[in-house]
Amino acid sequence: MNVLNLLSSSLGRRDEVPNQGLAQKILSINDINAIKELVSLLHHPKTAIQNDAIKVLYEIGRGNAKLISPYCNEFIALLKSKNNRMVWGTMTALSVIVNEKHDVIFKNLSSIMQAADLGSVIAKDHAAKVLTTLSQNKKYRNITLPILIDFINTAPENQFPTYAENAMTVIEGDYKKVLLQVLESRIDKMKTPTKIVRAEKLIKKLKK
C-alpha cells in the first residue's frame, strides 16, 4: 500500500474523507507497515502531508489503540512541533492510547501539560482527557487529580463545564471538596446560561 499517494493532500483534496477511508482500510487488515510509513511521514517536508499522517494515525488509534501505541514516544516528541495542527493531532493520539501507554504518558505528563498550556482548545481538550483517564488509575490519582482540578479551574468558560463533568467520573475523597470550591468560585463569573446550569448541577451532586 502506497500510503503517501492515498492521503487527502496527495489527491488534491481539502477534506478528510480520503484520510478517514485510508484509516479504515489500514484498520481492516492491521497493516503495520502502512502505520510505520505514516509515522515516518510525520516528518515530511510538506506540512499538509504531516497533517494528513497524524489524522490517519489517530483515526486508526480510535479503532484499535494497540496499533499506534508503540509510537507513543514519537507522539510525545512532536508536542514540541511548531506546527499547531501537529501538536493537537499528537495530543489527540495520546488521549487515544493513554490506557495502553499510561506509564510512558504519566512520565511525560509535564511535557504534555506544557504543550496544552501553549496549545489550542483542541490540545487542551485532549490533555483534559489524558488527565481524566490517568486519574482512573489509583497509582497516579494523587498526582493527576490536583493537576486536573487546577486545569479545570483555569479553563475557559466554554470548556469549564465539560472538563468538570468528565472529572466527576474519577473524583473522590477530599478532591470532591476542592472541585466544589472551584465550581462555586467560578459560577458567579460565568455568563452563559446553559453552562451555568451545568455547573449548578455539578455543585448539587458534589454537595450530596
Side-chain angles (χ1 to χ4, degrees), residues 162 179 192 202:
T162 300
L179 181 57
T192 310
L202 294 176

Side-chain angles (χ1 to χ4, degrees), residues 10 36 79 94 111-112 126 145 168 182 184 190 198:
S10 297
K36 287 181 180 178
L79 291 173
L94 291 172
S111 296
I112 292 169
H126 288 284
L145 280 179
M168 290 287 286
V182 168
E184 290 180 330
M190 295 172 69
R198 289 166 66 186

Side-chain angles (χ1 to χ4, degrees), residues 133-145:
T133 305
L134 284 175
S135 297
Q136 294 172 357
N137 192 317
K138 292 181 179 180
K139 186 164 57 171
Y140 310 126
R141 197 170 291 164
N142 285 334
I143 294 174
T144 56
L145 280 179

Side-chain angles (χ1 to χ4, degrees), residues 28 45 53 58 62 65 107 112 123 125 153-154 167 182 184 189 192:
S28 69
Y58 68 67
R62 283 170 171 163
K107 288 177 183 177
I112 292 169
D125 287 349
N153 189 32
T154 58
V182 168
E184 290 180 330
K189 302 170 187 174
T192 310

Side-chain angles (χ1 to χ4, degrees), residues 106 109 131-138 140-152 166-176 178-179:
F106 178 74
L109 192 55
L131 284 170
T132 302
T133 305
L134 284 175
S135 297
Q136 294 172 357
N137 192 317
K138 292 181 179 180
Y140 310 126
R141 197 170 291 164
N142 285 334
I143 294 174
T144 56
L145 280 179
I147 299 172
L148 176 58
I149 292 172
D150 184 62
F151 197 66
I152 294 168
N166 291 337
M168 290 287 286
T169 63
V170 295
I171 211 79
E172 63 172 14
D174 291 339
Y175 295 115
K176 289 184 177 182
V178 181
L179 181 57

